[in-house]
Amino acid sequence: MSLLEVRDLEVAFHTADGTVRAVDRVSFTIDGGQTLAVVGESGSGKSVTALTLLGLNRGAEVAGTVLFDGVDLLAMDDEAMRAVRGNQIAMVFQDPLSSLHPLYRVGWQIEEAILAHRDVPRQQARARAVELLDLVGIPEPARRVDDYPHQFSGGMRQRAMIAMALALDPRLLIADEPTTALDATVQAQILDLIRRLQGELGTALIIITHDLGIVADLADDVIVMYAGRVVERADRRTLYYHPHHPYTVGLLRSVPGSVARAARLQPIPGQPPSLIRLPSGCRFHPHCEFVMDRCVDHDPPELRVLGGLHHGSACWLPGEMVGTDDDTHRRRSAYAGAHRQTLVGSGSTAVP
Ligand code: SF4
């Protein structure tokens, strides 16, 4: 049994402008100690998915199944969910300043996180806070435990947030863009820290990011989201070297120094669609250079990409057209050109 199994998750928000379909039929699993990267642009549904796992989407209409250790989180009441949050599943957010209260000492906030779930004396919680600050690399932790958040640098605040998230030895840590607000050097240090801690503690990790580059040597598996849907999933190596979906290829070609080796950085054209008025057929079709007739009217299911047991792609292009090289690009273009005026089968095999 997987530690976390998400099946056909759907999240919608009803607004004055219409229904926002933020997450649509999203499924994935993660085992203990594994790292799953969820990659996509803002508005792709990745953060909404994470918040839903923690029961933090008030006002949303949620459907599907989220099994954590075999128990459905979506069926839990608020009190039961509070017991899971922090204790079993913890989250690190992008901006530590908005998560750390500016008026309280860093150590006190970690102590409170412990005391909310554990019946231990404050002195013991304080000793644990010092230990955690040491674990995440805060120098002189016994002294800095009494600092206020503004006395920490941005990188130290993020380390403190990670310490707080790990305070109760969660089995699953969700890190939502944990390094986006940091400069490149500190970013690398925080990613190193997450990698080291995960190795030492055996915590399962879901890392959410818009940047495929930062998960290049961190993730076991990767899912790519676009406009609320998973458009491609694979193990990290397959996804980087043999991507299938044109959106994934575009993301890879926009990563500086990536394996896609585009001569110049190639941004993905256009903005993701409104989640209130989604395009017909494939959601990516208004921006896809390989669009074919069937893409406009028929939403592709997740299809197994040939050669990859766990490699799926929601795209009508033939399953063997993987990679980012120029030859594959030419073959995709030729195939798409030949199928632009007539509807034909793709030859792909549906994932069972
Ligand atoms: Fe492009 Fe069609 Fe594939 Fe969508 S289904 S990504 S429009 S080729």
Side-chain angles (χ1 to χ4, degrees), residues 245-246 282 284-285 288 290-292 295 300 314-317:
H245 198 284
C282 170
F284 189 53
H285 89 254
C288 183
F290 308 112
V291 61
M292 299 170 282
C295 308
C315 172
W316 292 122
L317 285 168

